Amino acid sequence: MSGLSLVLLTVLMVASGQMTQTLYVPAMGDMAAALQVAGDSLPLVMAFYLIPYGLFQFIYGPLSDRFGRRPVLLVGLSVYVLGSALILAWPVFPMLLLGSFIQGAGTAAAGSLCRSLMRDKFEGSDLVRYNGYVSMGIMLAPLLAPLIGGYLNLHFGWQSMYQFLLAVGLLVTLVMVFWFRETLPAERRHAQPMLPAYQHVLHNSAFCRQLGMLMAAFAGVILYEAVFGVLVSRQSGLTSTEISLLFVLPLPLYFAGAMLASLKAASWSINRLQWISTVALLLGASIVLVSAFKPDLSVAGLVLGGSFYFAGAGILFPVATSKAVAPFPQHSGTAGALLGGSSNLGGGVFLLVQGALPQMNQSVLGGLLLAFAGLVAWLLIPSSNALPEPGI
């Protein structure tokens, strides 16, 4: 399987999960009304998806190191399809939460493996470059999802979005059955128990720093995605389709950041790329926060600040992921599970916590984004003199 084929299949395997995360964002207000729940309850759907999406990666990763990537992936995709079917069978809010939980538990397999497949095949600056390609491809799904979700909700109702997800899940499963080939040969697998495998990876202090940076930046992205639709609908009279158009505006900047990481992987140091990403994160958070105090510019500031924040995340994610998994050729599934599982679990738990806050407005969002960006900078400082140039 060529590098390009592997990138395309990797992007496809995570497409359903990425679309599940953002498809309904522009329809949150309409969904809340249809399900007869408060609008502030809708971010719980994302939390119920992200928590199992993070937790089950801790299981899928080590299992894929032992049994191979293909069987683990196919089991996970089948579970995802089950979750989508349950939501359609019983379209009530409690089942929406349960079905989202099952969806997350299933697609966690793809979320975990997308970080280890590239490590199975590439090393050094090539690893950063191909991880950048994957990040660019993966961003196409959440770029299209809100547009599709806004259209489906407007013309066919909120349940049509989950019919679409069920169809995508079935299609992806069939493609993987017929075209995906094992990337981890039997001679490179190991039978080490899960706990020692995780201890082996976590013993690496550089890995822990990269993990912390990824978790902080990802929490900001997830929070922005979860509350964007609610904030814009509260501050304007836009329809779900119009909100979806605003929602996708920052996403091409993520694409551009990942492209920059791919193009400069062989000539710029990891340290340089990570500091550029950190500056973009800090700038974006500051714009969101400052514009919150100017009502006429609040929505524009939310979109512009989100664009800079997403650009920084687009650079950071492939670079930090590559730096983290590079030392673990035989434990890349475990390392990938820690990266993806911790980020998504942390994001889901944070959404539950923020749901208990007295209020969520743009100033609170901007302050939290600034705190996450500051944490990325703080974690990057100790490793500034320890990163090789160029590449990994």
Side-chain angles (χ1 to χ4, degrees), residues 148-175:
I148 296 172
Y151 177 84
L152 290 174
N153 175 69
L154 183 63
H155 294 282
F156 305 104
W158 73 269
Q159 294 179 58
S160 65
M161 296 186 292
Y162 286 89
Q163 293 171 351
F164 175 78
L165 290 176
L166 176 60
V168 170
L170 288 169
L171 176 62
V172 171
T173 302
L174 288 174
V175 169

PDB file of all heavy atoms in Angstrom, residues 148-175:
ATOM      1  N   ILE A 148     -23.411  20.411   5.411  1.00  0.00           N
ATOM      2  CA  ILE A 148     -24.355  19.316   5.141  1.00  0.00           C
ATOM      3  C   ILE A 148     -25.424  19.264   6.233  1.00  0.00           C
ATOM      4  O   ILE A 148     -26.621  19.126   5.954  1.00  0.00           O
ATOM      5  CB  ILE A 148     -23.604  17.973   5.049  1.00  0.00           C
ATOM      6  CG1 ILE A 148     -22.642  17.986   3.861  1.00  0.00           C
ATOM      7  CG2 ILE A 148     -24.589  16.810   4.922  1.00  0.00           C
ATOM      8  CD1 ILE A 148     -21.719  16.782   3.812  1.00  0.00           C
ATOM      9  N   GLY A 149     -24.975  19.373   7.496  1.00  0.00           N
ATOM     10  CA  GLY A 149     -25.918  19.309   8.606  1.00  0.00           C
ATOM     11  C   GLY A 149     -26.928  20.441   8.576  1.00  0.00           C
ATOM     12  O   GLY A 149     -28.126  20.234   8.819  1.00  0.00           O
ATOM     13  N   GLY A 150     -26.470  21.671   8.282  1.00  0.00           N
ATOM     14  CA  GLY A 150     -27.372  22.806   8.203  1.00  0.00           C
ATOM     15  C   GLY A 150     -28.417  22.623   7.109  1.00  0.00           C
ATOM     16  O   GLY A 150     -29.609  22.912   7.295  1.00  0.00           O
ATOM     17  N   TYR A 151     -27.988  22.109   5.953  1.00  0.00           N
ATOM     18  CA  TYR A 151     -28.918  21.879   4.846  1.00  0.00           C
ATOM     19  C   TYR A 151     -29.928  20.787   5.189  1.00  0.00           C
ATOM     20  O   TYR A 151     -31.143  20.945   4.973  1.00  0.00           O
ATOM     21  CB  TYR A 151     -28.129  21.493   3.593  1.00  0.00           C
ATOM     22  CG  TYR A 151     -29.013  21.152   2.406  1.00  0.00           C
ATOM     23  CD1 TYR A 151     -29.506  22.156   1.582  1.00  0.00           C
ATOM     24  CD2 TYR A 151     -29.353  19.827   2.130  1.00  0.00           C
ATOM     25  CE1 TYR A 151     -30.331  21.850   0.503  1.00  0.00           C
ATOM     26  CE2 TYR A 151     -30.173  19.513   1.060  1.00  0.00           C
ATOM     27  CZ  TYR A 151     -30.658  20.515   0.251  1.00  0.00           C
ATOM     28  OH  TYR A 151     -31.482  20.205  -0.804  1.00  0.00           O
ATOM     29  N   LEU A 152     -29.432  19.656   5.709  1.00  0.00           N
ATOM     30  CA  LEU A 152     -30.332  18.548   6.047  1.00  0.00           C
ATOM     31  C   LEU A 152     -31.347  18.959   7.103  1.00  0.00           C
ATOM     32  O   LEU A 152     -32.537  18.634   7.008  1.00  0.00           O
ATOM     33  CB  LEU A 152     -29.515  17.348   6.534  1.00  0.00           C
ATOM     34  CG  LEU A 152     -28.664  16.624   5.486  1.00  0.00           C
ATOM     35  CD1 LEU A 152     -27.810  15.549   6.150  1.00  0.00           C
ATOM     36  CD2 LEU A 152     -29.548  16.003   4.405  1.00  0.00           C
ATOM     37  N   ASN A 153     -30.870  19.650   8.135  1.00  0.00           N
ATOM     38  CA  ASN A 153     -31.783  20.067   9.204  1.00  0.00           C
ATOM     39  C   ASN A 153     -32.839  21.033   8.694  1.00  0.00           C
ATOM     40  O   ASN A 153     -34.020  20.936   9.047  1.00  0.00           O
ATOM     41  CB  ASN A 153     -30.975  20.717  10.327  1.00  0.00           C
ATOM     42  CG  ASN A 153     -31.872  21.295  11.415  1.00  0.00           C
ATOM     43  OD1 ASN A 153     -32.525  20.563  12.153  1.00  0.00           O
ATOM     44  ND2 ASN A 153     -31.902  22.612  11.523  1.00  0.00           N
ATOM     45  N   LEU A 154     -32.433  21.961   7.831  1.00  0.00           N
ATOM     46  CA  LEU A 154     -33.362  22.975   7.329  1.00  0.00           C
ATOM     47  C   LEU A 154     -34.455  22.355   6.467  1.00  0.00           C
ATOM     48  O   LEU A 154     -35.619  22.757   6.540  1.00  0.00           O
ATOM     49  CB  LEU A 154     -32.585  24.027   6.531  1.00  0.00           C
ATOM     50  CG  LEU A 154     -33.398  25.215   5.998  1.00  0.00           C
ATOM     51  CD1 LEU A 154     -33.976  26.025   7.161  1.00  0.00           C
ATOM     52  CD2 LEU A 154     -32.518  26.096   5.116  1.00  0.00           C
ATOM     53  N   HIS A 155     -34.102  21.354   5.660  1.00  0.00           N
ATOM     54  CA  HIS A 155     -35.055  20.815   4.678  1.00  0.00           C
ATOM     55  C   HIS A 155     -35.707  19.500   5.110  1.00  0.00           C
ATOM     56  O   HIS A 155     -36.814  19.190   4.648  1.00  0.00           O
ATOM     57  CB  HIS A 155     -34.349  20.611   3.338  1.00  0.00           C
ATOM     58  CG  HIS A 155     -33.897  21.887   2.703  1.00  0.00           C
ATOM     59  ND1 HIS A 155     -34.749  22.736   2.024  1.00  0.00           N
ATOM     60  CD2 HIS A 155     -32.674  22.482   2.655  1.00  0.00           C
ATOM     61  CE1 HIS A 155     -34.082  23.785   1.579  1.00  0.00           C
ATOM     62  NE2 HIS A 155     -32.815  23.655   1.944  1.00  0.00           N
ATOM     63  N   PHE A 156     -35.036  18.720   5.983  1.00  0.00           N
ATOM     64  CA  PHE A 156     -35.559  17.393   6.306  1.00  0.00           C
ATOM     65  C   PHE A 156     -35.656  17.113   7.807  1.00  0.00           C
ATOM     66  O   PHE A 156     -36.108  16.039   8.197  1.00  0.00           O
ATOM     67  CB  PHE A 156     -34.678  16.311   5.656  1.00  0.00           C
ATOM     68  CG  PHE A 156     -34.518  16.477   4.178  1.00  0.00           C
ATOM     69  CD1 PHE A 156     -33.341  16.975   3.642  1.00  0.00           C
ATOM     70  CD2 PHE A 156     -35.562  16.149   3.307  1.00  0.00           C
ATOM     71  CE1 PHE A 156     -33.196  17.131   2.270  1.00  0.00           C
ATOM     72  CE2 PHE A 156     -35.421  16.308   1.941  1.00  0.00           C
ATOM     73  CZ  PHE A 156     -34.232  16.805   1.422  1.00  0.00           C
ATOM     74  N   GLY A 157     -35.209  18.036   8.656  1.00  0.00           N
ATOM     75  CA  GLY A 157     -35.276  17.817  10.095  1.00  0.00           C
ATOM     76  C   GLY A 157     -34.011  17.190  10.652  1.00  0.00           C
ATOM     77  O   GLY A 157     -33.181  16.652   9.913  1.00  0.00           O
ATOM     78  N   TRP A 158     -33.858  17.249  11.971  1.00  0.00           N
ATOM     79  CA  TRP A 158     -32.590  16.839  12.593  1.00  0.00           C
ATOM     80  C   TRP A 158     -32.293  15.353  12.442  1.00  0.00           C
ATOM     81  O   TRP A 158     -31.130  14.954  12.380  1.00  0.00           O
ATOM     82  CB  TRP A 158     -32.579  17.243  14.067  1.00  0.00           C
ATOM     83  CG  TRP A 158     -33.462  16.409  14.963  1.00  0.00           C
ATOM     84  CD1 TRP A 158     -34.757  16.655  15.284  1.00  0.00           C
ATOM     85  CD2 TRP A 158     -33.095  15.220  15.659  1.00  0.00           C
ATOM     86  NE1 TRP A 158     -35.243  15.693  16.128  1.00  0.00           N
ATOM     87  CE2 TRP A 158     -34.229  14.796  16.385  1.00  0.00           C
ATOM     88  CE3 TRP A 158     -31.923  14.466  15.745  1.00  0.00           C
ATOM     89  CZ2 TRP A 158     -34.235  13.650  17.172  1.00  0.00           C
ATOM     90  CZ3 TRP A 158     -31.922  13.325  16.532  1.00  0.00           C
ATOM     91  CH2 TRP A 158     -33.060  12.925  17.238  1.00  0.00           C
ATOM     92  N   GLN A 159     -33.325  14.505  12.355  1.00  0.00           N
ATOM     93  CA  GLN A 159     -33.060  13.068  12.244  1.00  0.00           C
ATOM     94  C   GLN A 159     -32.364  12.713  10.933  1.00  0.00           C
ATOM     95  O   GLN A 159     -31.645  11.708  10.863  1.00  0.00           O
ATOM     96  CB  GLN A 159     -34.367  12.294  12.369  1.00  0.00           C
ATOM     97  CG  GLN A 159     -35.013  12.395  13.748  1.00  0.00           C
ATOM     98  CD  GLN A 159     -36.314  11.631  13.829  1.00  0.00           C
ATOM     99  OE1 GLN A 159     -36.358  10.432  13.595  1.00  0.00           O
ATOM    100  NE2 GLN A 159     -37.402  12.339  14.137  1.00  0.00           N
ATOM    101  N   SER A 160     -32.563  13.537   9.901  1.00  0.00           N
ATOM    102  CA  SER A 160     -31.905  13.258   8.618  1.00  0.00           C
ATOM    103  C   SER A 160     -30.391  13.321   8.738  1.00  0.00           C
ATOM    104  O   SER A 160     -29.666  12.658   7.981  1.00  0.00           O
ATOM    105  CB  SER A 160     -32.389  14.244   7.558  1.00  0.00           C
ATOM    106  OG  SER A 160     -31.992  15.573   7.868  1.00  0.00           O
ATOM    107  N   MET A 161     -29.881  14.099   9.696  1.00  0.00           N
ATOM    108  CA  MET A 161     -28.428  14.173   9.893  1.00  0.00           C
ATOM    109  C   MET A 161     -27.886  12.825  10.359  1.00  0.00           C
ATOM    110  O   MET A 161     -26.802  12.400   9.950  1.00  0.00           O
ATOM    111  CB  MET A 161     -28.093  15.275  10.903  1.00  0.00           C
ATOM    112  CG  MET A 161     -28.460  16.676  10.444  1.00  0.00           C
ATOM    113  SD  MET A 161     -27.882  17.961  11.588  1.00  0.00           S
ATOM    114  CE  MET A 161     -28.915  17.632  13.015  1.00  0.00           C
ATOM    115  N   TYR A 162     -28.633  12.138  11.195  1.00  0.00           N
ATOM    116  CA  TYR A 162     -28.174  10.846  11.691  1.00  0.00           C
ATOM    117  C   TYR A 162     -28.417   9.725  10.677  1.00  0.00           C
ATOM    118  O   TYR A 162     -27.707   8.713  10.685  1.00  0.00           O
ATOM    119  CB  TYR A 162     -28.824  10.548  13.043  1.00  0.00           C
ATOM    120  CG  TYR A 162     -28.199  11.395  14.133  1.00  0.00           C
ATOM    121  CD1 TYR A 162     -28.704  12.661  14.434  1.00  0.00           C
ATOM    122  CD2 TYR A 162     -27.057  10.969  14.801  1.00  0.00           C
ATOM    123  CE1 TYR A 162     -28.101  13.460  15.396  1.00  0.00           C
ATOM    124  CE2 TYR A 162     -26.454  11.758  15.755  1.00  0.00           C
ATOM    125  CZ  TYR A 162     -26.974  13.004  16.058  1.00  0.00           C
ATOM    126  OH  TYR A 162     -26.354  13.802  16.999  1.00  0.00           O
ATOM    127  N   GLN A 163     -29.383   9.900   9.797  1.00  0.00           N
ATOM    128  CA  GLN A 163     -29.513   8.986   8.667  1.00  0.00           C
ATOM    129  C   GLN A 163     -28.282   9.092   7.773  1.00  0.00           C
ATOM    130  O   GLN A 163     -27.755   8.086   7.277  1.00  0.00           O
ATOM    131  CB  GLN A 163     -30.785   9.312   7.877  1.00  0.00           C
ATOM    132  CG  GLN A 163     -32.069   9.034   8.628  1.00  0.00           C
ATOM    133  CD  GLN A 163     -33.298   9.579   7.910  1.00  0.00           C
ATOM    134  OE1 GLN A 163     -33.187  10.319   6.921  1.00  0.00           O
ATOM    135  NE2 GLN A 163     -34.482   9.245   8.404  1.00  0.00           N
ATOM    136  N   PHE A 164     -27.828  10.317   7.581  1.00  0.00           N
ATOM    137  CA  PHE A 164     -26.623  10.548   6.781  1.00  0.00           C
ATOM    138  C   PHE A 164     -25.409   9.897   7.442  1.00  0.00           C
ATOM    139  O   PHE A 164     -24.600   9.228   6.773  1.00  0.00           O
ATOM    140  CB  PHE A 164     -26.408  12.051   6.621  1.00  0.00           C
ATOM    141  CG  PHE A 164     -25.139  12.429   5.928  1.00  0.00           C
ATOM    142  CD1 PHE A 164     -25.025  12.348   4.550  1.00  0.00           C
ATOM    143  CD2 PHE A 164     -24.038  12.868   6.660  1.00  0.00           C
ATOM    144  CE1 PHE A 164     -23.840  12.693   3.911  1.00  0.00           C
ATOM    145  CE2 PHE A 164     -22.859  13.215   6.028  1.00  0.00           C
ATOM    146  CZ  PHE A 164     -22.757  13.126   4.650  1.00  0.00           C
ATOM    147  N   LEU A 165     -25.278  10.053   8.768  1.00  0.00           N
ATOM    148  CA  LEU A 165     -24.143   9.460   9.477  1.00  0.00           C
ATOM    149  C   LEU A 165     -24.174   7.939   9.406  1.00  0.00           C
ATOM    150  O   LEU A 165     -23.118   7.288   9.286  1.00  0.00           O
ATOM    151  CB  LEU A 165     -24.130   9.916  10.943  1.00  0.00           C
ATOM    152  CG  LEU A 165     -23.779  11.384  11.193  1.00  0.00           C
ATOM    153  CD1 LEU A 165     -23.905  11.709  12.675  1.00  0.00           C
ATOM    154  CD2 LEU A 165     -22.368  11.706  10.691  1.00  0.00           C
ATOM    155  N   LEU A 166     -25.351   7.342   9.492  1.00  0.00           N
ATOM    156  CA  LEU A 166     -25.464   5.891   9.374  1.00  0.00           C
ATOM    157  C   LEU A 166     -24.996   5.431   7.998  1.00  0.00           C
ATOM    158  O   LEU A 166     -24.251   4.450   7.882  1.00  0.00           O
ATOM    159  CB  LEU A 166     -26.911   5.465   9.619  1.00  0.00           C
ATOM    160  CG  LEU A 166     -27.219   3.968   9.437  1.00  0.00           C
ATOM    161  CD1 LEU A 166     -26.390   3.126  10.401  1.00  0.00           C
ATOM    162  CD2 LEU A 166     -28.703   3.704   9.627  1.00  0.00           C
ATOM    163  N   ALA A 167     -25.401   6.149   6.959  1.00  0.00           N
ATOM    164  CA  ALA A 167     -24.988   5.789   5.595  1.00  0.00           C
ATOM    165  C   ALA A 167     -23.480   5.917   5.427  1.00  0.00           C
ATOM    166  O   ALA A 167     -22.826   5.040   4.836  1.00  0.00           O
ATOM    167  CB  ALA A 167     -25.718   6.671   4.588  1.00  0.00           C
ATOM    168  N   VAL A 168     -22.900   6.996   5.976  1.00  0.00           N
ATOM    169  CA  VAL A 168     -21.447   7.187   5.886  1.00  0.00           C
ATOM    170  C   VAL A 168     -20.723   6.077   6.638  1.00  0.00           C
ATOM    171  O   VAL A 168     -19.724   5.525   6.156  1.00  0.00           O
ATOM    172  CB  VAL A 168     -21.050   8.572   6.434  1.00  0.00           C
ATOM    173  CG1 VAL A 168     -19.537   8.682   6.568  1.00  0.00           C
ATOM    174  CG2 VAL A 168     -21.575   9.674   5.533  1.00  0.00           C
ATOM    175  N   GLY A 169     -21.208   5.724   7.832  1.00  0.00           N
ATOM    176  CA  GLY A 169     -20.575   4.667   8.611  1.00  0.00           C
ATOM    177  C   GLY A 169     -20.577   3.337   7.888  1.00  0.00           C
ATOM    178  O   GLY A 169     -19.569   2.611   7.885  1.00  0.00           O
ATOM    179  N   LEU A 170     -21.698   2.990   7.266  1.00  0.00           N
ATOM    180  CA  LEU A 170     -21.782   1.739   6.508  1.00  0.00           C
ATOM    181  C   LEU A 170     -20.831   1.753   5.315  1.00  0.00           C
ATOM    182  O   LEU A 170     -20.149   0.757   5.031  1.00  0.00           O
ATOM    183  CB  LEU A 170     -23.215   1.520   6.042  1.00  0.00           C
ATOM    184  CG  LEU A 170     -24.234   1.126   7.121  1.00  0.00           C
ATOM    185  CD1 LEU A 170     -25.651   1.198   6.572  1.00  0.00           C
ATOM    186  CD2 LEU A 170     -23.925  -0.272   7.650  1.00  0.00           C
ATOM    187  N   LEU A 171     -20.782   2.886   4.614  1.00  0.00           N
ATOM    188  CA  LEU A 171     -19.900   2.998   3.444  1.00  0.00           C
ATOM    189  C   LEU A 171     -18.435   2.856   3.834  1.00  0.00           C
ATOM    190  O   LEU A 171     -17.671   2.122   3.187  1.00  0.00           O
ATOM    191  CB  LEU A 171     -20.145   4.339   2.749  1.00  0.00           C
ATOM    192  CG  LEU A 171     -19.239   4.657   1.545  1.00  0.00           C
ATOM    193  CD1 LEU A 171     -19.449   3.630   0.446  1.00  0.00           C
ATOM    194  CD2 LEU A 171     -19.499   6.060   1.028  1.00  0.00           C
ATOM    195  N   VAL A 172     -18.024   3.553   4.899  1.00  0.00           N
ATOM    196  CA  VAL A 172     -16.629   3.486   5.341  1.00  0.00           C
ATOM    197  C   VAL A 172     -16.274   2.064   5.768  1.00  0.00           C
ATOM    198  O   VAL A 172     -15.188   1.556   5.448  1.00  0.00           O
ATOM    199  CB  VAL A 172     -16.387   4.484   6.497  1.00  0.00           C
ATOM    200  CG1 VAL A 172     -15.011   4.259   7.108  1.00  0.00           C
ATOM    201  CG2 VAL A 172     -16.521   5.913   5.999  1.00  0.00           C
ATOM    202  N   THR A 173     -17.168   1.393   6.469  1.00  0.00           N
ATOM    203  CA  THR A 173     -16.909   0.020   6.899  1.00  0.00           C
ATOM    204  C   THR A 173     -16.680  -0.894   5.702  1.00  0.00           C
ATOM    205  O   THR A 173     -15.744  -1.706   5.684  1.00  0.00           O
ATOM    206  CB  THR A 173     -18.086  -0.505   7.743  1.00  0.00           C
ATOM    207  OG1 THR A 173     -18.277   0.353   8.872  1.00  0.00           O
ATOM    208  CG2 THR A 173     -17.796  -1.915   8.247  1.00  0.00           C
ATOM    209  N   LEU A 174     -17.517  -0.759   4.676  1.00  0.00           N
ATOM    210  CA  LEU A 174     -17.365  -1.590   3.481  1.00  0.00           C
ATOM    211  C   LEU A 174     -16.048  -1.303   2.757  1.00  0.00           C
ATOM    212  O   LEU A 174     -15.362  -2.228   2.293  1.00  0.00           O
ATOM    213  CB  LEU A 174     -18.541  -1.355   2.531  1.00  0.00           C
ATOM    214  CG  LEU A 174     -19.893  -1.933   2.988  1.00  0.00           C
ATOM    215  CD1 LEU A 174     -21.002  -1.507   2.030  1.00  0.00           C
ATOM    216  CD2 LEU A 174     -19.816  -3.453   3.070  1.00  0.00           C
ATOM    217  N   VAL A 175     -15.685  -0.037   2.667  1.00  0.00           N
ATOM    218  CA  VAL A 175     -14.420   0.314   2.009  1.00  0.00           C
ATOM    219  C   VAL A 175     -13.241  -0.310   2.750  1.00  0.00           C
ATOM    220  O   VAL A 175     -12.318  -0.865   2.135  1.00  0.00           O
ATOM    221  CB  VAL A 175     -14.263   1.851   1.931  1.00  0.00           C
ATOM    222  CG1 VAL A 175     -12.845   2.227   1.494  1.00  0.00           C
ATOM    223  CG2 VAL A 175     -15.278   2.444   0.964  1.00  0.00           C
TER     224      VAL A 175
END
